[in-house]
Amino acid sequence: MFGTLIKFFKFCDKENRKKFTGSIFVGILNSLFMAFRIGAVAVMLRGVIGTAIEGQPFETKTIWLSFGIMCVSMIGGIITRKVTAMWQCEGGYRTCAQKRIEIAEHLRYLPMGYFNENSLGEITSVTTNTMEAVGDVATRAVMMVFQGLLDTSLIIVMLFFFDWRIALVALAGFALFEFVNFFMRFAVKDISADKIRDDAAEIGKVLEYIQGIAEVKAYNLVGKRSRELNDVINRRKKTLIKMEMRCIPVSNLQSLVAKLSGVAMMIASLYFYLAGTMALADCATMLVCSFMLFNALEAGGNYSALLRTIDLGVTKASAILALPTMNIDGATNEKESHGFGTSNDVSNKNKKDFALAKSNPCDNSSLIEARNVDFAYDKRKIIDGISLSIPEHSTTAIVGPSGGGKTTFCHLLARFWDVDKGTVTLEGKDVRDYSMDNLMKNYSFVFQNVYLFHDTIANNIRFGQPEAPMEKVIAAAKKACCHEFISALPNGYDTVIGEGGASLSGGERQRISIARAIMKDSPIIILDEATANVDPENERDLMTAIEELTREKTVIMIAHRLKTVRNADQIVVIDKGRIAEQGKHEELVAKGGIYARFIDSRKEAVSWKL
C-alpha cells in the first residue's frame, strides 16, 4: 500500500506533490479535530455519571466545555476537510492534465517505429482511462485510504491515554483489518492487469471499427466486425464483474472485522467495568469510541482494491514517459565538442547555421546528403547502404516498386527515424545534431493520405502558425487553389470540418494540406505520392498548387505519374532498399532498366480506354 502511495506521489510533478503533501499535513489536523470528539464525549459522560451516581453537582461549565470542544472539533474538521479535498482535487486533476500533455509531447519525439509496434488503442487507453484514473479515482482512493489509516491511528493513540487495555484491543482489530485488506489487494492483483489490458483492447477495437466503417459496410462485414467488437466489450465486462466478485467477499469480511473489533472493544470495556478495574465514565466513553473508531478505516478500505489498478496505471504512463526518445535537442555532441552551455544555446546555433546556409545558396553544394545509410524494422532490412546527394533548389524524384523503401528513405532524410548505420546531413551537419523542433522547421510534407483536424478550415491552414492573421491564411489558400471552394462553403474559412477532413473531397483535402505547407514556408518540401489518388477534375488545380508550393524550394517527391517525374533534376530508382538507377529521365529511359519498364507500363495504362 505504502509503495503505491510513494509511487503516486513521485508520479506527480513538484507543484502538485506539494499540494498532496500539504493535504497530508492538513489531514493530520483533520484527524486531530475528529479525535477531539472523544474528549467532548468523555467530559460530558463524566459530568452526567458523576451527578447521577456519585451525587456530585452538575456544573454548567461541564456542558460549555463539552460543547466548546465539540464546536472546535466540528469547525476545525469542516475547514481542514475542505482544504484537504480542494488540494487533493487540484493536485489530482492538474496531474492528470499535465501528464496528458507531457505524454503527448513525449510521443512527438519517439521513433515512428514505436507507433507500428504499439496499437492506437494502447496509447489512447493510457491517455484517457489511465489518466482519468489518476485524476479522479486515484485522488479519492489514495487519499481516502491514507486518511482512514491516519484517523484510526490517531484515535488509537488517544485511547492509550484513557485505557491501554482497550487501546490494545483496538490495535489488534486494526492489525486484523489490515491483514484482510492485504488479501483484498492480493485478490485483484492479476485481474487489475487484465482490466487495463481489456481497457486498451476495447478502445483499440472501437477506434478500428469506427475508422474502418466504410470498408466494413462495403464488404458487408458488419455482422462479423460487430461480433469482434462485442466480444471485446463482453470480455471487458466479464473482467469487471470478476473483479467485483473477488472484491465483494473480502470487502464484506473486512467490514465484519471492523464491526467485530468494535464489539470486542465493547465487551472488554464492560468486562473491565464489572471487574472493578475501569470507571463507569471511562467504560461509557469506550463504548461510544467503539462505534467511531473504524468508520474512516472502513471507508478507506473499500477503496483499497483500486490501489493495484492505480499502481499499474501509473506504471504504464511512466513506462511511456521513460521510453528513449531520439536525441531531440542535439545538445549532447554540441556540448562535448563546442562547449555550449544549454540546449537553448544549441537551438539558437542551429537556427543561425541554417539561416546562413539559406542566405548563401550554392547550387553545386549538397543541401541534403545521405551516406551509406542502413535502416531496418526489427531484423528486416529496409534501406541497405544508400548514398545520395540532393542539391539546394533542385527537384529529386524517387520512384520504384511498391515496398522498395521509398517512403522509409524520405522519412530518414527528415529524421522520422534515426538511421542504424551511416549519416544523413543537412547543410553538412548531421540531422541528429539539430534540435528536433528546429530540424522540422526546415521540412514541409504533403502526404498521399492527408489528415485534417476537427477544427475550422482557417485553423487547419494556420496549423503551423497558430497566431497567423487571416490575411496570410487567405493568401496561402489562394496560392493552393482552394480559396474558391472554401468561400463557397456556408461559413467560409470558419467552416468546421470533420475529423480527418471527412466532409471534404480528396482533392480539397490535398489542396488544404498544400496551403498549410505554404503557410509553413519551409525550404525543403517532401511530396509523398501527393497526386496519386486525385481525380482529373482536381488534378489541374492540385498541380498548380504544388507548383506554387515548390517554387524556389528543394523538392523531394515520391511519385508514380510520368508527368510529375520526367522534369525532375534527378530521378532515383529505389528497389529492395538500394539505389538501382539514378539520372535524368532521358538517360534512364535509354538504359532500358527498371525506370524504362516503369515508363512503358504507365504509357500502356494511360492508353487504356473504356
Side-chain angles (χ1 to χ4, degrees), residues 126-175:
V126 171
T127 54
T128 54
N129 290 357
T130 300
M131 289 300 98
E132 187 67 23
V134 171
D136 188 4
V137 179
T139 302
R140 290 202 300 268
V142 172
M143 302 315 297
M144 283 194 70
V145 170
F146 186 84
Q147 194 66 44
L149 291 172
L150 193 60
D151 287 354
T152 305
S153 300
L154 284 175
I155 292 176
I156 290 175
V157 169
M158 288 196 68
L159 289 180
F160 274 100
F161 291 97
F162 286 91
D163 193 293
W164 63 271
R165 297 167 298 181
I166 302 302
L168 288 178
V169 173
L171 187 60
F174 176 68

Side-chain angles (χ1 to χ4, degrees), residues 390 393-397 523-527 550 553-557:
I390 300 175
H393 296 162
S394 68
T395 298
T396 299
I524 303 169
I525 310 296
I526 295 181
L527 305 172
T550 58
K553 307 289 186 182
T554 301
V555 181
I556 305 166
M557 65 168 67

Side-chain angles (χ1 to χ4, degrees), residues 324-337:
T325 59
M326 295 186 292
N327 181 20
I328 62 176
D329 60 8
T332 304
N333 295 335
E334 296 286 358
K335 285 181 180 179
E336 293 175 356
S337 60

Side-chain angles (χ1 to χ4, degrees), residues 191 194-195 197-203 205 227-243:
I191 201 70
D194 293 341
K195 176 187 178 299
R197 179 203 64 203
D198 291 342
D199 285 346
E202 182 182 59
I203 290 176
K205 186 58 68 175
R227 285 194 298 272
E228 292 178 358
L229 178 60
N230 290 337
D231 288 343
V232 172
I233 294 173
N234 287 331
R235 185 168 66 242
R236 181 171 181 268
K237 179 185 73 174
K238 290 177 181 178
T239 300
L240 293 174
I241 293 174
K242 186 177 180 181
M243 176 178 279

Side-chain angles (χ1 to χ4, degrees), residues 1-2 145 149 173-188 247 250-251 253-255 257 297-307:
M1 180 188 299
F2 288 104
V145 170
L149 291 172
F174 176 68
L176 184 58
F177 182 94
E178 287 303 310
F179 181 75
V180 175
N181 186 261
F182 168 78
F183 277 100
M184 175 183 284
R185 295 195 301 274
F186 182 79
V188 299
C247 288
V250 184
S251 179
L253 179 59
Q254 190 174 249
S255 179
V257 167
L297 186 65
E298 190 175 356
N302 291 332
Y303 276 91
S304 63
L306 296 174
L307 290 181

